[in-house]
Amino acid sequence: MKKPAVAAGVGIGTAAFALVGVLVLFIAAVANGAAGHQEEQQTDGSQISMQGGQVGDIPPKMLTLYRQAAPATCRGLDWSVLAAIGKVETNHARHPTMRSSAGAVGPMQFLPATFTGYAYPVPAGGADPPTPWDATDAVWAAARMLCANGAKTGTSSGLYKAIYSYNHADWYVQKVLAQAKSYAAVQPSGTDSDTALASNAIVQAAYSQLGVPYVWGGGGINGQSGGGFDCSGLTSYAVYQGTGHKVALPRTSQGQRHVGTSVPREEMRPGDLIVFNRHNWGHVGIYAGGNRMIDTPKPGKAVEVISLAGYWEQYAWDIRRVG
């Protein structure tokens, strides 16, 4: 990775691969339409297969960091771009050393001197003093760097400039953008006319929290309680954030069973709440279209999109429209 004008960090290096690394770089560059840019060192993450480019490829902790840091740090930056850089640089901190031959270190591959310029304020949960080896510190610093170098404009040209500042190579920008597109495209499939997640603000708000861990009693209108969500905490957060008039729901699934308007299953649409009679009406989720639901199922799990197959047959339900 590089900072503007001065080398900021170069991804995990080709030097370790000697002549084989040169061949890998050439093939990778050609495959990405970037012949002529081999002078920039690719990261180990860049040499890893792009298969598994969907959200399920991202460890839950890293997914949470990407989703939290991007909107909190830079309004024009989508989480998928941060995640794509994490993938290309170290395969989301899976690289065995996370150290490049040029001195870049950590999950987002910062040169220590460059990291210092974007490390403050220390994010919640980060190491203090901050370090590029800490995932929280590194992801937030990367978001700040991208924002400062063009991402805050929210334009394609600004984003291109921001990614280019991270590593001065056109092939790198194209690789990151392709990976980001892969992550951003993940959404429930289905035949509903409005299954696209972006078509409903409640669904979009819930979807933005994918990967946030289950915490009993966690969540609420600001999503900060306990660092996670339970099922009704997620719905409370998503409905409050996704409705222009900021609807505040009762805190429990039992209470949410009686809000809004009852909707028959055949008229259900994305954004509706589904309360299931599991342990005394103890579970609620958000319909996302395509017979899918976004929910936080139980301890040890995280916010996820699941199929509703089996739910309809096993439980009684109430469908509530609150938006």
Side-chain angles (χ1 to χ4, degrees), residues 23-24 32 44 60 65 80 97 116 140 146 180 186 200 213 219 243 250 261 273 275 288 297-298 301-302 306 320:
L23 179 60
V24 170
N32 283 279
D44 182 74
L65 291 176
S80 61
T97 67
T116 300
W140 282 70
L146 291 167
V186 177
N200 181 275
T243 54
T261 305
L273 304 184
V275 187
K298 60 184 179 180
K301 300 284 283 184
I306 66 169
R320 313 299 298 188

Side-chain angles (χ1 to χ4, degrees), residues 9-17 41-42 97-105 109 111:
V10 179
I12 294 163
T14 58
F17 297 100
Q41 295 191 50
Q42 281 189 311
T97 67
M98 292 194 292
R99 187 188 297 274
S100 81
S101 59
V105 298
Q109 287 294 280
L111 283 179

Side-chain angles (χ1 to χ4, degrees), residues 45-59:
S46 299
Q47 298 165 11
I48 295 171
S49 171
M50 293 291 285
Q51 295 178 1
Q54 295 185 344
V55 170
D57 167 64
I58 307 174

Side-chain angles (χ1 to χ4, degrees), residues 177-188:
L177 288 174
Q179 183 67 65
K181 183 178 180 180
S182 173
Y183 286 144
V186 177
Q187 57 180 279

Side-chain angles (χ1 to χ4, degrees), residues 92-155:
H92 307 302
R94 293 187 181 100
H95 186 272
T97 67
M98 292 194 292
R99 187 188 297 274
S100 81
S101 59
V105 298
M108 302 303 284
Q109 287 294 280
F110 273 102
L111 283 179
T114 303
F115 172 79
T116 300
Y118 301 98
Y120 293 92
V122 177
D128 193 2
T131 168
W133 289 102
D134 181 82
T136 300
D137 292 339
V139 169
W140 282 70
R144 293 182 183 122
M145 180 176 177
L146 291 167
C147 197
N149 287 287
K152 64 183 176 184
T153 67
T155 65

Side-chain angles (χ1 to χ4, degrees), residues 18-215:
L19 294 177
V20 175
V22 173
L23 179 60
V24 170
L25 285 175
F26 177 77
I27 294 172
V30 172
N32 283 279
H37 295 282
Q38 293 92 323
E39 72 278 5
E40 298 289 339
Q41 295 191 50
Q42 281 189 311
T43 67
D44 182 74
S46 299
Q47 298 165 11
I48 295 171
S49 171
M50 293 291 285
Q51 295 178 1
Q54 295 185 344
V55 170
D57 167 64
I58 307 174
K61 177 183 177 181
M62 296 299 293
L63 179 61
T64 298
L65 291 176
Y66 299 139
R67 290 190 178 280
Q68 291 177 344
T73 303
C74 190
R75 182 171 296 182
L77 178 64
D78 191 80
W79 73 270
S80 61
V81 176
L82 267 184
I85 288 176
K87 173 69 174 179
V88 171
E89 293 293 347
T90 63
N91 195 21
H92 307 302
R94 293 187 181 100
H95 186 272
T97 67
M98 292 194 292
R99 187 188 297 274
S100 81
S101 59
V105 298
M108 302 303 284
Q109 287 294 280
F110 273 102
L111 283 179
T114 303
F115 172 79
T116 300
Y118 301 98
Y120 293 92
V122 177
D128 193 2
T131 168
W133 289 102
D134 181 82
T136 300
D137 292 339
V139 169
W140 282 70
R144 293 182 183 122
M145 180 176 177
L146 291 167
C147 197
N149 287 287
K152 64 183 176 184
T153 67
T155 65
S156 57
S157 59
L159 181 60
Y160 194 99
K161 179 182 176 183
I163 300 171
Y164 190 87
S165 75
Y166 212 88
N167 188 329
H168 297 320
D170 291 323
W171 63 258
Y172 181 86
V173 178
Q174 295 300 331
K175 196 172 191 70
V176 168
L177 288 174
Q179 183 67 65
K181 183 178 180 180
S182 173
Y183 286 144
V186 177
Q187 57 180 279
S189 60
T191 58
D192 305 59
S193 61
D194 55 351
T195 50
L197 292 177
S199 69
N200 181 275
I202 294 175
V203 177
Q204 190 174 19
Y207 187 66
S208 73
Q209 301 302 305
L210 286 178
V212 174
Y214 180 99
V215 172

